[in-house]
Amino acid sequence: MIKTADVVIIGGGISGCSIAYNLAKKGVKNIVVLEKNYLASGATGRCGAGVRQQWGTEMNCRLAMESIKFFERANEELEYDGDIEFKQGGYLIVASTEKEDVQFRKNVELQKSLGIQVEYLTPKEAKEIVPYLNTDIIRSATYCPKDGHLNPFLTTDAYAKAAKRLGVKIYTFTEVTGIRVENGKVKGVITNKGEISTNIVVNAAGGYSQLICDMVGIDIPVYSERHQILVTEPVEPMQGPMVMSFSLNIYCQQTPHGSFIMGRGDDNEPRDLRITSSWQFLDEMAKTVTKLLPPIGELRVIRQWAGLYNITPDKQPIYGPTKNLEGFYLAVGFSGHGFMLAPMTGLLIAEQILGEKNTIDISKLTLERFEKGELVLEPSVV
Ligand code: FAD
């Protein structure tokens, strides 16, 4: 392992790999990514990998729009020898309550004003897109045909390979156990395989972000929580878009090879680092999805698994440097939507490290917002 680096990134998920690639693309040499397991072993490899532009705040819409533009050209830009499997089958987001319906009308107005191709639909119109949708329980829906999903392993692999070609060193099965700090500045990273001197460390450790912050005595207002997901047997193509409901707390999509992937949130999940699976999830998931999409009940479940959401009080990420520790950057707290933000996470953090003006204004997403009570209120999160 090398002894000195210009930047050390902790975490080999989609965020860490994107940050490494973007820094290297901007000409930074001597970048190291440290991953305690294999690449994408954290939330990245466990996620639904859905990407949507249908957000309720301008900042999130803009972040997602730019990320989608990147995913559309990613195979070429990253010179990938495979395919990240970006399928733009759209997102159909259904409203079941009056409150949701009112919010969705506002969202669509905002999204259209920003140039997002989105439509507000009646239940009948929604049924034309997903014919077996149970419209008895929905009031309206919104639909953006350019939203979609990817293969999270292949997307991470594409970033990692592109970063390596640009000289980034990626050490897997290498756990960070400590961070050396002197006079309020980062000086190095200690791992189970040796120490690397560096003045810049990026915490991109996903569900383990607070554990990394503990190493430097910084408290961030995040908690980690298990989110579960399952996959069915593959069947003939029958559902174009991802179907999502905030009030039912579910999402369900058919992947290019025919399997359905679906997940749901549960406010009763314990706040810790467990990623075990439960039968209660299977039971609740089946009940909820068949309420909204009845024929899905005919499919057999192949496998279920879980991953960690790293959640902030406003369910928005924390980006950027920390006030009291020079050289320590955060790209954490993605609250269940960090995969789709990854292209912008990489670019924005690289810009911050290099002292460049951010392409999109993310000054609202600093750690300090919590101290100041300036939370970013995004109405459209699962
Ligand atoms: P991670 O992928 O968690 O990577 C962090 C890495 O840091 C891990 O690999 C971990 O092993 C490593 N690490 C931790 N501690 C150390 C250490 N001490 N030393 C070295 N390495 C360390 N997002 C979307 O945008 N769309 C979705 O549809 C979506 N669906 C989801 C469904 C589920 C069930 C889950 C769990 C998440 C979902 N997400 C989704 C959220 C998304 O998965 C995450 O926000 C995103 O993957 C975060 O990526 P990351 O690289 O920041 O973190």
Coordinates of all heavy atoms in Angstrom, one line a residue, residues 47-55 64 68 71 86-95 104 108 111 116-121 125-126 129-130 133 140-150 229 239-246 250-254 261-263 309 336-341 380-382:
C47 N -29.2 -1.6 -3.3 CA -30.2 -0.6 -3.5 C -31.1 -0.9 -4.7 O -30.8 -1.8 -5.5 CB -29.7 0.8 -3.5 SG -28.9 1.3 -5.1
G48 N -32.2 -0.2 -4.8 CA -33.1 -0.3 -5.9 C -32.5 0.3 -7.2 O -32.9 0.0 -8.3
A49 N -31.6 1.2 -7.0 CA -30.9 1.9 -8.1 C -31.8 2.7 -9.0 O -31.6 2.7 -10.2 CB -29.9 1.0 -8.8
G50 N -32.9 3.2 -8.5 CA -33.8 4.0 -9.2 C -33.4 5.4 -9.3 O -32.8 5.9 -8.3
V51 N -33.6 6.1 -10.4 CA -33.3 7.5 -10.5 C -34.5 8.3 -11.0 O -35.1 7.9 -12.0 CB -32.0 7.7 -11.4 CG1 -30.8 7.1 -10.8 CG2 -32.2 7.2 -12.8
R52 N -34.8 9.3 -10.3 CA -36.0 10.1 -10.7 C -35.7 11.6 -10.6 O -34.9 12.0 -9.8 CB -37.2 9.8 -9.8 CG -37.0 10.1 -8.4 CD -38.2 9.9 -7.6 NE -37.9 9.7 -6.1 CZ -38.2 10.6 -5.2 NH1 -38.9 11.7 -5.5 NH2 -38.0 10.3 -3.9
Q53 N -36.4 12.3 -11.5 CA -36.2 13.8 -11.5 C -37.4 14.4 -10.8 O -37.5 15.6 -10.7 CB -36.1 14.3 -12.9 CG -34.9 13.7 -13.6 CD -35.0 13.9 -15.1 OE1 -34.6 15.0 -15.7 NE2 -35.6 13.0 -15.8
Q54 N -38.4 13.6 -10.4 CA -39.6 14.1 -9.8 C -39.4 14.5 -8.3 O -39.8 13.6 -7.5 CB -40.7 13.2 -10.0 CG -41.0 12.9 -11.5 CD -42.1 11.9 -11.7 OE1 -43.3 12.2 -11.4 NE2 -41.8 10.7 -12.2
W55 N -38.9 15.6 -8.1 CA -38.6 16.1 -6.7 C -39.5 17.3 -6.4 O -40.0 17.9 -7.4 CB -37.1 16.4 -6.5 CG -36.3 15.1 -6.5 CD1 -35.7 14.5 -7.5 CD2 -36.1 14.2 -5.4 NE1 -35.1 13.4 -7.1 CE2 -35.3 13.2 -5.8 CE3 -36.5 14.3 -4.0 CZ2 -34.9 12.1 -5.0 CZ3 -36.0 13.2 -3.2 CH2 -35.3 12.2 -3.7
A64 N -30.9 15.9 -9.8 CA -31.3 14.7 -10.4 C -31.2 14.8 -11.9 O -30.8 13.9 -12.6 CB -32.7 14.3 -10.0
I68 N -29.1 12.4 -14.3 CA -29.7 11.6 -15.4 C -28.9 11.9 -16.7 O -28.6 10.9 -17.5 CB -31.2 11.9 -15.5 CG1 -31.9 11.4 -14.3 CG2 -31.7 11.4 -16.9 CD1 -33.1 10.5 -14.5
F71 N -25.9 9.7 -16.5 CA -26.2 8.3 -16.7 C -26.4 8.0 -18.2 O -26.1 6.9 -18.7 CB -27.3 7.8 -15.9 CG -27.0 7.7 -14.4 CD1 -27.8 8.3 -13.4 CD2 -25.8 7.1 -14.0 CE1 -27.6 8.2 -12.1 CE2 -25.5 7.0 -12.6 CZ -26.4 7.5 -11.6
F86 N -28.7 1.3 -18.0 CA -29.6 2.4 -17.7 C -30.9 2.2 -18.5 O -30.9 2.4 -19.8 CB -29.0 3.7 -18.0 CG -29.8 4.9 -17.5 CD1 -30.7 4.8 -16.5 CD2 -29.7 6.1 -18.2 CE1 -31.4 5.9 -16.0 CE2 -30.4 7.2 -17.8 CZ -31.3 7.1 -16.7
K87 N -32.0 1.8 -17.9 CA -33.3 1.7 -18.6 C -34.2 2.8 -18.2 O -34.5 3.0 -17.0 CB -33.9 0.3 -18.1 CG -35.3 0.1 -18.7 CD -36.0 -1.1 -18.1 CE -37.5 -1.0 -18.2 NZ -38.2 -1.9 -17.3
Q88 N -34.5 3.7 -19.2 CA -35.4 4.8 -18.9 C -36.8 4.4 -19.1 O -37.4 4.8 -20.2 CB -34.9 6.0 -19.7 CG -33.7 6.7 -19.0 CD -33.1 7.8 -19.9 OE1 -32.5 7.5 -20.9 NE2 -33.2 9.0 -19.4
G89 N -37.4 3.7 -18.2 CA -38.8 3.2 -18.3 C -39.7 4.2 -17.7 O -40.9 3.9 -17.6
G90 N -39.2 5.2 -17.0 CA -40.0 6.2 -16.4 C -40.3 5.8 -14.9 O -40.1 4.7 -14.5
Y91 N -40.9 6.8 -14.2 CA -41.4 6.7 -12.8 C -42.9 7.1 -12.9 O -43.1 8.2 -13.3 CB -40.7 7.6 -11.9 CG -39.6 6.9 -11.0 CD1 -38.5 6.3 -11.6 CD2 -39.6 7.1 -9.6 CE1 -37.5 5.8 -10.8 CE2 -38.6 6.6 -8.8 CZ -37.6 5.9 -9.4 OH -36.6 5.4 -8.6
L92 N -43.7 6.3 -12.4 CA -45.1 6.6 -12.2 C -45.3 6.7 -10.7 O -45.2 5.7 -10.0 CB -46.1 5.6 -12.8 CG -47.5 5.9 -12.7 CD1 -47.9 6.9 -13.7 CD2 -48.4 4.6 -12.9
I93 N -45.5 8.0 -10.2 CA -45.7 8.2 -8.7 C -47.1 8.5 -8.4 O -47.7 9.4 -9.0 CB -44.8 9.3 -8.2 CG1 -43.3 9.2 -8.7 CG2 -44.8 9.4 -6.7 CD1 -42.3 10.2 -8.2
V94 N -47.7 7.6 -7.6 CA -49.2 7.8 -7.4 C -49.5 8.5 -6.1 O -48.8 8.4 -5.1 CB -49.9 6.4 -7.4 CG1 -49.7 5.7 -8.7 CG2 -49.5 5.5 -6.2
A95 N -50.6 9.3 -6.2 CA -51.0 10.0 -5.0 C -52.3 9.3 -4.5 O -53.2 9.1 -5.2 CB -51.4 11.5 -5.3
F104 N -48.4 17.1 -5.4 CA -48.0 16.6 -6.7 C -48.3 17.7 -7.8 O -47.5 17.9 -8.7 CB -48.7 15.3 -7.1 CG -48.1 14.1 -6.4 CD1 -47.3 14.2 -5.3 CD2 -48.3 12.8 -7.0 CE1 -46.8 13.1 -4.7 CE2 -47.8 11.7 -6.4 CZ -47.0 11.8 -5.3
V108 N -45.3 19.2 -10.1 CA -45.3 19.1 -11.5 C -45.1 20.5 -12.1 O -44.3 20.7 -13.1 CB -46.6 18.5 -12.1 CG1 -46.8 18.7 -13.5 CG2 -46.6 17.0 -11.8
Q111 N -41.4 21.2 -11.7 CA -40.6 20.4 -12.5 C -40.7 20.8 -14.0 O -39.7 20.9 -14.7 CB -41.0 18.9 -12.4 CG -40.7 18.3 -11.1 CD -41.6 17.2 -10.6 OE1 -42.4 16.7 -11.4 NE2 -41.4 16.7 -9.4
I116 N -38.3 19.7 -17.0 CA -38.4 18.2 -16.8 C -39.7 17.8 -17.5 O -40.7 18.4 -17.4 CB -38.5 17.8 -15.3 CG1 -37.1 18.2 -14.7 CG2 -38.8 16.3 -15.1 CD1 -37.1 18.1 -13.1
Q117 N -39.5 16.7 -18.3 CA -40.7 16.2 -19.1 C -41.6 15.4 -18.1 O -41.3 14.2 -17.9 CB -40.1 15.3 -20.2 CG -41.0 14.9 -21.2 CD -40.4 13.9 -22.2 OE1 -39.1 13.9 -22.4 NE2 -41.2 13.1 -22.8
V118 N -42.6 16.0 -17.6 CA -43.4 15.3 -16.6 C -44.9 15.6 -16.8 O -45.2 16.7 -17.3 CB -42.9 15.7 -15.1 CG1 -43.1 17.2 -14.9 CG2 -43.6 14.9 -14.1
E119 N -45.8 14.7 -16.4 CA -47.2 15.0 -16.6 C -47.9 14.7 -15.3 O -47.6 13.7 -14.6 CB -47.8 14.0 -17.7 CG -47.3 14.3 -19.1 CD -47.5 15.8 -19.6 OE1 -48.5 16.4 -19.1 OE2 -46.7 16.3 -20.3
Y120 N -49.0 15.4 -15.1 CA -49.9 15.1 -14.0 C -51.0 14.3 -14.6 O -51.6 14.7 -15.7 CB -50.5 16.5 -13.4 CG -51.6 16.3 -12.4 CD1 -51.3 16.1 -11.1 CD2 -52.9 16.2 -12.8 CE1 -52.3 15.9 -10.1 CE2 -53.9 16.0 -11.9 CZ -53.6 15.9 -10.6 OH -54.6 15.7 -9.6
L121 N -51.3 13.2 -14.0 CA -52.3 12.2 -14.7 C -53.5 11.9 -13.8 O -53.4 11.9 -12.6 CB -51.6 10.9 -15.0 CG -50.3 10.9 -15.8 CD1 -49.8 9.5 -15.9 CD2 -50.6 11.5 -17.2
E125 N -55.7 7.9 -16.8 CA -54.5 8.1 -17.6 C -53.3 7.2 -17.1 O -52.5 6.7 -17.8 CB -54.1 9.6 -17.7 CG -55.1 10.4 -18.5 CD -54.9 11.9 -18.3 OE1 -54.5 12.3 -17.2 OE2 -55.2 12.7 -19.2
A126 N -53.3 7.2 -15.7 CA -52.2 6.3 -15.1 C -52.4 4.9 -15.5 O -51.4 4.2 -15.8 CB -52.2 6.5 -13.6
I129 N -50.8 3.6 -18.6 CA -49.4 3.4 -18.5 C -49.1 2.0 -17.8 O -48.2 1.3 -18.3 CB -48.6 4.5 -17.9 CG1 -48.8 5.8 -18.7 CG2 -47.2 4.3 -17.6 CD1 -48.4 7.1 -18.1
V130 N -49.8 1.8 -16.7 CA -49.7 0.5 -16.0 C -51.1 -0.1 -15.9 O -51.8 0.2 -15.0 CB -49.0 0.6 -14.6 CG1 -49.0 -0.7 -13.9 CG2 -47.6 1.2 -14.8
L133 N -52.8 -1.3 -12.6 CA -52.8 -0.5 -11.5 C -54.2 -0.4 -10.8 O -55.2 -0.2 -11.5 CB -52.4 0.9 -11.9 CG -52.1 2.0 -10.9 CD1 -50.8 1.7 -10.1 CD2 -51.9 3.4 -11.6
S140 N -54.5 10.5 -8.2 CA -53.9 11.0 -9.3 C -52.5 10.4 -9.4 O -52.1 9.6 -8.5 CB -53.7 12.6 -9.2 OG -53.0 12.9 -8.0
A141 N -51.7 10.8 -10.4 CA -50.3 10.3 -10.5 C -49.5 11.3 -11.2 O -50.1 12.2 -11.9 CB -50.3 9.0 -11.2
T142 N -48.2 11.2 -11.1 CA -47.3 12.0 -12.0 C -46.4 11.0 -12.7 O -46.1 10.0 -12.2 CB -46.5 13.0 -11.2 OG1 -45.6 12.4 -10.3 CG2 -47.4 14.0 -10.4
Y143 N -46.0 11.4 -13.9 CA -45.2 10.5 -14.7 C -44.1 11.2 -15.5 O -44.4 12.2 -16.2 CB -46.1 9.8 -15.7 CG -45.5 8.8 -16.7 CD1 -44.8 7.7 -16.2 CD2 -45.5 9.1 -18.1 CE1 -44.1 6.9 -17.1 CE2 -44.9 8.2 -19.0 CZ -44.2 7.1 -18.5 OH -43.6 6.3 -19.4
C144 N -42.9 10.7 -15.3 CA -41.8 11.2 -16.1 C -41.1 10.1 -16.8 O -40.5 9.2 -16.2 CB -40.7 11.9 -15.2 SG -39.2 12.4 -16.1
P145 N -41.2 10.1 -18.2 CA -40.7 8.9 -18.9 C -39.2 8.8 -19.0 O -38.6 7.8 -19.3 CB -41.2 9.1 -20.4 CG -41.6 10.6 -20.4 CD -41.9 11.0 -19.1
K146 N -38.5 9.9 -18.6 CA -37.0 9.9 -18.6 C -36.4 9.4 -17.3 O -35.2 9.2 -17.2 CB -36.5 11.3 -18.9 CG -36.8 11.8 -20.3 CD -35.9 11.0 -21.3 CE -36.2 11.5 -22.7 NZ -35.4 10.7 -23.7
D147 N -37.2 9.1 -16.3 CA -36.7 8.5 -15.1 C -36.4 7.0 -15.3 O -36.8 6.5 -16.4 CB -37.7 8.7 -13.9 CG -37.9 10.1 -13.5 OD1 -37.1 11.0 -13.9 OD2 -38.9 10.4 -12.8
G148 N -35.7 6.4 -14.5 CA -35.4 5.0 -14.7 C -34.6 4.3 -13.7 O -34.6 4.7 -12.5
H149 N -33.9 3.3 -14.0 CA -33.0 2.6 -13.1 C -31.8 2.0 -13.8 O -31.8 1.8 -15.0 CB -33.7 1.6 -12.2 CG -34.2 0.4 -12.9 ND1 -33.5 -0.8 -13.0 CD2 -35.3 0.2 -13.6 CE1 -34.2 -1.6 -13.7 NE2 -35.3 -1.1 -14.1
L150 N -30.8 1.6 -12.9 CA -29.5 1.1 -13.4 C -29.1 -0.2 -12.7 O -29.8 -0.5 -11.7 CB -28.4 2.1 -13.2 CG -28.6 3.5 -13.9 CD1 -29.0 4.5 -12.9 CD2 -27.3 3.9 -14.5
I229 N -35.7 -5.1 0.8 CA -36.0 -5.1 -0.6 C -36.1 -6.6 -1.0 O -35.4 -7.5 -0.4 CB -34.9 -4.3 -1.3 CG1 -35.1 -4.2 -2.8 CG2 -33.5 -4.8 -1.0 CD1 -34.3 -3.0 -3.5
Q239 N -44.3 -4.4 -17.1 CA -44.4 -3.1 -16.4 C -43.3 -2.2 -16.9 O -42.1 -2.5 -16.7 CB -44.3 -3.2 -14.9 CG -44.5 -1.9 -14.2 CD -44.6 -2.1 -12.7 OE1 -45.3 -3.0 -12.2 NE2 -43.8 -1.4 -11.9
G240 N -43.6 -1.1 -17.6 CA -42.6 -0.1 -18.1 C -41.9 0.6 -16.9 O -40.8 0.5 -16.6
P241 N -42.7 1.5 -16.2 CA -42.1 2.4 -15.3 C -41.9 1.8 -13.9 O -42.6 0.8 -13.5 CB -43.1 3.6 -15.2 CG -44.4 3.0 -15.5 CD -44.1 1.8 -16.5
M242 N -41.1 2.4 -13.1 CA -41.1 2.2 -11.6 C -42.4 2.7 -11.1 O -42.8 3.9 -11.5 CB -39.9 3.0 -11.0 CG -40.0 3.1 -9.6 SD -39.2 1.8 -8.7 CE -37.5 2.4 -8.5
V243 N -43.1 2.0 -10.3 CA -44.3 2.5 -9.6 C -44.0 2.8 -8.2 O -43.4 2.0 -7.5 CB -45.5 1.6 -9.7 CG1 -46.7 2.1 -9.0 CG2 -45.9 1.3 -11.2
M244 N -44.3 4.0 -7.7 CA -43.9 4.5 -6.4 C -45.1 5.1 -5.7 O -45.9 5.8 -6.3 CB -42.8 5.4 -6.6 CG -42.1 5.9 -5.3 SD -40.7 6.9 -5.8 CE -39.6 6.3 -4.6
S245 N -45.2 4.9 -4.4 CA -46.2 5.6 -3.6 C -45.6 6.1 -2.3 O -45.0 5.2 -1.6 CB -47.4 4.7 -3.3 OG -48.1 5.2 -2.2
F246 N -45.6 7.3 -2.0 CA -45.1 7.8 -0.7 C -46.0 7.4 0.4 O -45.5 7.1 1.5 CB -44.9 9.4 -0.8 CG -44.0 9.8 -1.9 CD1 -44.4 10.7 -2.8 CD2 -42.7 9.4 -1.9 CE1 -43.5 11.1 -3.8 CE2 -41.8 9.8 -2.9 CZ -42.2 10.7 -3.9
I250 N -43.9 2.5 -0.7 CA -43.3 1.4 -1.5 C -42.8 1.9 -2.9 O -43.3 2.9 -3.4 CB -44.3 0.3 -1.8 CG1 -45.5 0.7 -2.6 CG2 -44.8 -0.4 -0.5 CD1 -46.3 -0.5 -3.2
Y251 N -42.0 1.1 -3.5 CA -41.6 1.2 -4.9 C -41.5 -0.1 -5.5 O -41.2 -1.1 -4.8 CB -40.3 2.0 -5.1 CG -39.1 1.4 -4.3 CD1 -38.3 0.5 -4.9 CD2 -38.9 1.8 -3.0 CE1 -37.2 -0.1 -4.2 CE2 -37.8 1.3 -2.3 CZ -37.0 0.3 -2.9 OH -36.0 -0.2 -2.2
C252 N -41.8 -0.3 -6.8 CA -41.8 -1.6 -7.4 C -41.5 -1.4 -8.9 O -42.1 -0.6 -9.6 CB -43.2 -2.2 -7.3 SG -43.4 -3.7 -8.2
Q253 N -40.5 -2.1 -9.4 CA -40.1 -1.9 -10.8 C -39.7 -3.3 -11.4 O -39.4 -4.2 -10.7 CB -38.8 -1.0 -10.9 CG -37.6 -1.7 -10.4 CD -36.4 -0.8 -10.3 OE1 -36.5 0.4 -10.1 NE2 -35.2 -1.4 -10.4
Q254 N -39.8 -3.4 -12.7 CA -39.4 -4.6 -13.4 C -38.0 -4.3 -14.0 O -37.9 -3.3 -14.8 CB -40.4 -5.0 -14.5 CG -40.1 -6.4 -15.1 CD -41.1 -6.9 -16.0 OE1 -41.9 -6.2 -16.5 NE2 -41.2 -8.3 -16.2
I261 N -38.3 -5.9 -8.8 CA -37.6 -5.5 -7.5 C -38.5 -4.6 -6.8 O -39.0 -3.6 -7.4 CB -36.2 -4.8 -7.8 CG1 -35.2 -5.9 -8.3 CG2 -35.7 -4.1 -6.6 CD1 -33.8 -5.4 -8.4
M262 N -38.7 -4.8 -5.5 CA -39.5 -3.9 -4.7 C -39.1 -3.7 -3.3 O -38.5 -4.7 -2.7 CB -41.0 -4.4 -4.8 CG -41.2 -5.7 -4.2 SD -42.8 -6.5 -4.6 CE -42.4 -7.1 -6.2
G263 N -39.4 -2.6 -2.7 CA -39.0 -2.4 -1.4 C -39.9 -1.4 -0.7 O -40.8 -0.8 -1.3
Y309 N -30.0 2.7 5.1 CA -30.2 4.1 4.8 C -29.4 4.9 5.9 O -29.4 4.5 7.1 CB -31.6 4.5 5.0 CG -32.5 4.3 3.8 CD1 -32.3 3.4 2.8 CD2 -33.7 5.1 3.7 CE1 -33.2 3.2 1.7 CE2 -34.6 4.9 2.6 CZ -34.3 4.0 1.7 OH -35.2 3.8 0.6
G336 N -31.5 7.4 1.6 CA -32.2 6.6 0.6 C -32.2 7.0 -0.8 O -32.9 6.4 -1.6
H337 N -31.5 8.1 -1.1 CA -31.5 8.5 -2.6 C -30.1 8.9 -3.0 O -29.9 9.7 -4.0 CB -32.5 9.6 -2.9 CG -32.6 10.7 -2.0 ND1 -33.4 10.8 -0.9 CD2 -31.9 11.9 -2.0 CE1 -33.2 11.9 -0.2 NE2 -32.3 12.6 -0.9
G338 N -29.1 8.3 -2.4 CA -27.7 8.6 -2.8 C -27.2 8.0 -4.1 O -26.3 8.5 -4.7
F339 N -27.9 6.9 -4.5 CA -27.4 6.3 -5.7 C -27.6 7.3 -6.9 O -26.8 7.6 -7.7 CB -28.1 5.0 -6.0 CG -27.6 4.3 -7.2 CD1 -26.4 3.5 -7.2 CD2 -28.2 4.5 -8.5 CE1 -25.9 3.0 -8.3 CE2 -27.6 4.0 -9.6 CZ -26.5 3.2 -9.5
M340 N -28.9 7.8 -6.9 CA -29.2 8.7 -8.1 C -28.4 10.0 -8.0 O -28.3 10.7 -9.1 CB -30.7 8.9 -8.2 CG -31.3 9.8 -7.1 SD -33.1 9.9 -7.3 CE -33.7 8.5 -6.5
L341 N -27.9 10.4 -6.9 CA -27.2 11.7 -6.8 C -25.7 11.5 -7.1 O -25.0 12.5 -7.3 CB -27.3 12.3 -5.4 CG -28.7 12.7 -5.0 CD1 -28.7 13.3 -3.5 CD2 -29.3 13.8 -5.9
S380 N -40.9 15.2 -1.2 CA -41.1 13.9 -2.0 C -40.0 12.9 -1.7 O -39.1 12.6 -2.5 CB -41.1 14.3 -3.4 OG -42.2 15.1 -3.7
V381 N -40.0 12.3 -0.5 CA -39.1 11.2 -0.1 C -39.8 10.0 0.4 O -40.9 10.1 1.0 CB -38.1 11.7 0.9 CG1 -36.9 12.4 0.3 CG2 -38.7 12.4 2.1
V382 N -39.2 8.8 0.1 CA -39.8 7.6 0.6 C -39.2 7.3 1.9 O -38.0 7.3 2.0 CB -39.5 6.4 -0.3 CG1 -40.3 5.2 0.1 CG2 -39.8 6.6 -1.7

